[in-house]
């Protein structure tokens, strides 16, 4: 399977492009700085590129794969609307996160636009599910859980295994909404708990691998991540975190990822396309690990020399 089929690429560009261009019509007084911020996220002239990166969380791809599994094809208008909704969802999350994490540049002044993004994200579902539909109960519970988890994560001063396993994987919980929308539209709400479990586990895998590759930046910023907290707990008394990471930390981290990936691959309710997607992500992970090899070996050698002094 291609990671991103051509027809999927087209609808993502359409849906994300609509989200970016619509700001001029809906919030004209602040449209220019908001659009500049949106364009800066992708780093290219195509705002959809951010969501199509091979290592990105599959926010747009998941509802596409679910509908393919349930219907063997997709309703392009429905999926484009879901992309539009998810793009606005992501912009809302990213705006708030940057302010919470202290990484804001222009985001503080743009913060009121979070309400606009929230409205665009929510409004799409009103076109597909009438008031009183079971989807809205799911939406309420899932959205409240996502907000609660996000706030709880921001309050952490340490991160142990239990906290990571029960809390952090759920930080991607808002992605469950578009998946549930597909399941409800095809009268398969029985699949929603299974997809919820899959999303939590994949979220754990995805977020941990980000921490694994971003550990240098996180260490400089003093970020609280499970990986760095484990480095502090597991390193020798006088050993710097970077030494433990090179000596055994990354190997330990990749073992965690390997175990979670095996759990994901054992979930046999998913289609072959989902399994192929997981295989592509694991292959990409192994390739990135290989590139770290020479740099880590240099750090290991320095660590051995200091230990022998």
């Amino acid at each position: 399977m291609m990671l991103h089929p051509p027809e999927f690429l087209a609808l993502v560009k359409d849906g994300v492009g609509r989200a970016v261009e619509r700001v001029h019509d809906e919030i004209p007084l602040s449209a220019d700085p908001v659009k500049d911020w949106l364009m800066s996220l992708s780093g290219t002239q195509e705002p959809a590129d951010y969501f199509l990166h091979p290592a990105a969380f599959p926010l747009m791809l998941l509802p596409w794969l679910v509908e393919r599994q349930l219907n063997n094809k997709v309703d392009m208008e429905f999926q484009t609307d879901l992309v539009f909704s998810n793009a606005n969802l992501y912009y809302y999350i990213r705006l708030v996160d940057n302010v919470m994490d202290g990484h804001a540049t222009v985001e503080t002044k743009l913060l009121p636009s979070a309400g606009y993004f929230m409205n665009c994200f929510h409004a799409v579902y009103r076109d597909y599910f009438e008031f009183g539909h079971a989807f809205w109960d799911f939406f309420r519970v899932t959205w409240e859980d996502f907000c609660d988890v996000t706030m709880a994560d921001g309050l952490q001063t340490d991160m142990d295994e239990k906290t990571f396993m029960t809390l952090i994987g759920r930080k991607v919980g808002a992605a469950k909404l578009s998946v549930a929308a597909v399941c409800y539209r095809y009268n398969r709400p029985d699949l929603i708990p299974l997809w919820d479990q899959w999303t939590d586990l994949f979220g754990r895998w995805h977020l941990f691998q980000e921490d694994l590759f971003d550990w240098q930046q996180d260490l400089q910023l003093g970020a609280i991540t499970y990986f760095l907290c484990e480095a502090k707990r597991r390193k020798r008394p006088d050993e710097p975190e970077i030494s433990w990471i090179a000596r055994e930390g990354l190997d330990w981290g990749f073992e965690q990822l390997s175990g979670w990936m095996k759990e994901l691959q054992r979930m046999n309710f998913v289609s072959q396309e989902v399994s192929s997607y997981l295989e592509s992500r694991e292959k990409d992970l192994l390739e990135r690990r290989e590139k770290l090899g020479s740099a880590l070996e240099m750090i290991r050698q320095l660590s051995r020399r200091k230990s022998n002094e």
Side-chain angles (χ1 to χ4, degrees):
M1 164 189 146
M2 292 176 60
L3 185 59
H4 295 131
E7 61 271 30
F8 173 76
L9 293 175
L11 74 87
V12 172
K13 290 180 179 179
D14 185 19
V16 175
R18 178 164 34 122
V20 172
E21 294 302 323
R22 187 170 170 175
V23 298
H24 285 290
D25 297 326
E26 303 297 331
I27 48 172
L29 298 179
S30 54
D32 287 342
V34 170
K35 184 177 178 181
D36 288 344
W37 178 72
L38 297 180
M39 294 298 296
S40 72
L41 297 179
S42 67
T44 72
Q45 292 301 306
E46 176 51 71
D49 286 347
Y50 180 86
F51 302 99
L52 296 170
H53 190 282
F57 183 83
L59 180 62
M60 311 300 187
L61 187 61
L62 274 180
W64 163 278
L65 292 175
V66 175
E67 187 172 8
R68 289 264 299 170
Q69 180 171 340
L70 295 180
N71 199 39
N72 294 322
K73 59 182 181 179
V74 299
D75 179 333
M76 297 293 282
E77 182 179 0
F78 176 53
Q79 285 292 329
T80 304
D81 285 345
L82 293 181
V83 167
F84 172 81
S85 174
N86 277 330
N88 282 285
L89 167 64
Y90 176 79
Y91 296 143
Y92 168 86
I93 294 170
R94 181 66 177 269
L95 189 61
V96 173
D97 272 358
N98 282 5
V99 173
M100 286 180 61
D101 294 342
H103 299 158
T105 52
V106 300
E107 288 88 347
T108 302
K109 290 187 177 181
L110 300 181
L111 194 56
S113 67
Y116 163 74
F117 293 129
M118 176 65 187
N119 185 56
C120 291
F121 144 64
H122 179 273
V124 165
Y125 295 112
R126 296 201 298 266
D127 292 336
Y128 290 95
F129 302 105
E130 62 185 13
F131 179 77
H133 191 283
F135 171 79
W136 292 114
D137 285 334
F138 179 86
F139 186 103
R140 177 184 57 79
V141 171
T142 302
W143 185 249
E144 288 173 355
D145 182 71
F146 167 74
C147 293
D148 192 24
V149 165
T150 302
M151 287 187 285
D153 176 51
L155 296 171
Q156 297 301 309
T157 56
D158 188 23
M159 188 75 65
D160 57 16
E161 180 181 10
K162 180 180 179 181
T163 303
F164 180 80
M165 299 288 276
T166 59
L167 177 70
I168 302 305
R170 289 157 55 205
K171 281 183 65 179
V172 301
K176 298 173 182 177
L177 295 169
S178 57
V179 170
V182 176
C183 292
Y184 276 118
R185 193 161 190 241
Y186 289 94
N187 297 313
R188 291 299 309 272
D190 56 297
L191 292 176
I192 293 174
L194 294 172
W195 276 111
D196 283 0
Q197 183 183 4
W198 189 98
T199 304
D200 285 344
L201 181 53
F202 183 80
R204 188 187 308 164
W205 183 94
H206 175 80
L207 295 172
F208 188 79
Q209 62 93 28
E210 283 192 338
D211 291 344
L212 208 58
F213 286 103
D214 293 343
W215 66 267
Q216 289 176 295
Q217 179 182 3
D218 290 337
L219 191 62
Q220 291 175 346
L221 294 173
I224 305 297
T225 72
Y226 175 42
F227 182 62
L228 289 183
C229 288
E230 282 300 306
K232 292 178 183 178
R233 280 189 284 269
R234 293 169 180 261
K235 71 182 183 65
R236 295 163 181 160
D238 298 324
E239 182 181 25
E241 286 90 342
I242 188 174
S243 176
W244 175 82
I245 289 169
R247 181 168 55 82
E248 63 180 40
L250 285 173
D251 288 337
W252 171 81
F254 283 112
E255 286 179 11
Q256 307 307 305
L257 290 172
S258 177
W260 295 329
M261 181 57 73
K262 287 176 182 175
E263 287 185 56
L264 284 163
Q265 291 168 336
R266 285 196 292 266
M267 292 185 175
N268 57 13
F269 75 95
V270 301
S271 68
Q272 181 56 49
E273 285 184 301
V274 176
S275 298
S276 297
Y277 171 77
L278 293 175
E279 290 168 6
S280 71
R281 289 299 303 267
E282 186 171 37
K283 180 181 178 182
D284 177 69
L285 178 71
L286 294 175
E287 289 174 352
R288 294 174 70 189
R289 179 182 185 178
E290 188 67 26
K291 292 177 182 178
L292 286 174
S294 57
L296 289 176
E297 186 54 38
M298 291 177 61
I299 298 174
R300 289 190 187 104
Q301 290 177 8
L302 288 171
S303 178
R304 291 191 198 105
R305 288 176 193 169
K306 290 196 172 189
S307 297
N308 294 329
E309 287 177 357

